[in-house]
Amino acid sequence: MKILLLSTGGGGGNILRSIKTLFRQDLAAVQKSDARYADRLRRAVATRFLDTNEFSLADVPVEERLLIGAGQTRHLGSRHNPAVAREALEESRKDVASVLDDYPVVVLIGTGGKGTGAGTMFPLAQMARERRKLVIPIFVRPSFEWHEVDKRRYDHALQVVDQFDAAQIRCIEILNDRGYSADHPQPQSVVWERMNLPIARALRGLLYVLSDLSQVDPSDLSTLCAGAGRYRIGFAEIDPANGEEPSETQIEEASRQCWENSYYCFTKPAGTSLVCIQGDWSNVVDGRIKGRLAAMAAGNAAESTYVPLHARPAHAPRPWGVTMLCAEYTGNHAPLEIAWPLDSRVSLPTRIQSATPEPVPVVVAAAVAAPVAPPAPIRASIEPPPAARTFSTFRELCLGVNRSDVAALAIAGNGASSSIPIDLAELRKLLGTVWFRTVFTQLSQPWRDRMLDILLQSGPIPNHVVRAGRRTARINELTYEELRQVPIETILPDAVRGDVQLLIAVGTLWGADAIARFTFAEEPQEEHSKKRFSFVGFR
Amino acid sequence: MTAHSIAATLAASARTIDRVDSTWVLWGVLVLLIAIAIHETGEYVTDRQAVLRLMATFGERFVQEFDRPLVRSLPSERVIDSRLRFNPDRSRVEVLLAPREGRVYPNLADHRKNVEYDVGRVLRLMKDPPFVPEPMYAQGRWVVVPFQLRVNPGQAGDK
């Protein structure tokens, strides 16, 4: 799964340059402790600089430039006119769309100062949303009080934000006003770094959830991103001494720093939020961090709207810390329909079977969310075949495969005689996650056959009645392609949705023919007619 | 005959007037004058109150619209101080605006163009208000934006 960082206009480009630099600094630090992990992060992020002005992209690598509106602007800029920028985007719509199509997650960065950013920020977000991308727009509202722009342009920036609200597209709104403090004046570069660092650092957390493995499913992210309102990104580094736990003060300070970000517009209580903790310390520390964040999110409210989604890598190289993508609570919203891809994911590092002259680090770490403190990572060189490791459940094995654990990869590549049990409920849950699709490609044919057999033997699937396009049909009458459209076009009850998504996953992983091998149980007629009525109502 | 009857009528009227006590006449005139004065004062007060209401409504709406884009990031916090100064006799209202602590807008020292733009923006939003702006000026920390009640063309005798 790759994330596209797309800037628009001069201001957005400056922010992206800064984020890129900060992310690279992080990568350099990660490189020292885990080169493969660093490589994985590096390949998971792509940057593109969209602009109407060729000159402002002079220092950007050619392959990262995305110039729009040749006819409209002759690549000389939008003349500080958002309308011209909008037309330029319209002119180059195909080019931009083809870039967006390669990435399921788009972090869009722009400022509302002058022409290109102000004119294209919203249409770009809308374009990404229409293409069922998970889009996180980062929009900077410039300061007129401190003479960055005049009031007219500031008001235009407000209109852009209104457009996001009207279209129910959540965004991060950074308020440049908050970067000026008469009591504690700071150089502009310091302020910008403070504004941008949380974004750069939070990328690691987001990447972990999207392309690694996690207790947080992409569907949870679809819920987090649904509805209008604002996001806030928080980050705090926690740097305990080697082999030691972070102190109480460090935990307190990090939680506070992660929660507070005075640069962001965030006026409502916190709703669904993604909290990613990275660091090799005990679960007691995790619990304290989560508790502090929850206390700050709840505040003095009688009923808290805060719903944390915790993501916890079992192994993460330094720099460690906690990142938080917090969404304002603006009511309950249906999850967004995001087209999570199957093919454009980052390929995992080379398997153990390939001849690697250099020693490959083996990381033996506790499973995700282990109830006891995870042991410190043990590093060793692989020369002989890997020592047999036990994975008590199939999920544990998959987690191991996903983090390129050599022992897990060895079992996954063979595994015909493995005694690891496959639990049906666990398998169904795994099939619903995006990261498992990457794991699936690493599993041998016997593993795949075994999984499919378990699904087929689990008993008949209720033959639900669903809406497919304009007609109503039972799910066994639908083709794989039609099935795929059902959850996108219709709001389904949870039970029906689960079954439909199972069939889609089977069709995706084993092929459309595998769906036909399931047996379907006819539902009672009364129930059928009731459900048909309810589906029509849901449309 | 005719002349005789007219003279008789006049004589009868004179006799009637002679019989009326002049004190009552004076009281009557006084009461009449008081009634007229009360009526006029009432009209004046009513008009004045109407003008004041008009000015207050306009002033409050003006401040609200002026303020609106500035408080979006934290709606619970006001970012400007405001006052209204009325002069109903001259049909004039003055809106006084000043930045709150920690803020710099509005001021005329370095934000005159922005304040002028904002006044225009607010008046456009208010869609043809009955007041016209006059040149603004600074008074201490306040920016004073004077408005004059627009004279009704009919009242001005314009045809």
Side-chain angles (χ1 to χ4, degrees), chain A residues 262-290:
Chain A
S262 56
Y263 299 127
Y264 291 7
C265 176
F266 198 94
T267 56
K268 297 184 176 68
T272 307
S273 305
L274 176 68
V275 178
C276 187
I277 301 170
Q278 293 171 308
D280 283 349
W281 48 64
S282 73
N283 57 358
V284 174
V285 174
D286 288 3
R288 285 188 180 136
I289 294 170
K290 290 173 189 173

Side-chain angles (χ1 to χ4, degrees), chain A residues 145 147 151 155 162 267, chain B residues 72-73 103 110 114 117-118:
Chain A
E145 286 194 59
H147 298 280
K151 181 70 171 36
D155 285 345
D162 288 342
T267 56
Chain B
R72 290 195 17 160
S73 41
R103 308 295 296 237
D110 63 339
N114 284 334
Y117 155 80
D118 250 350

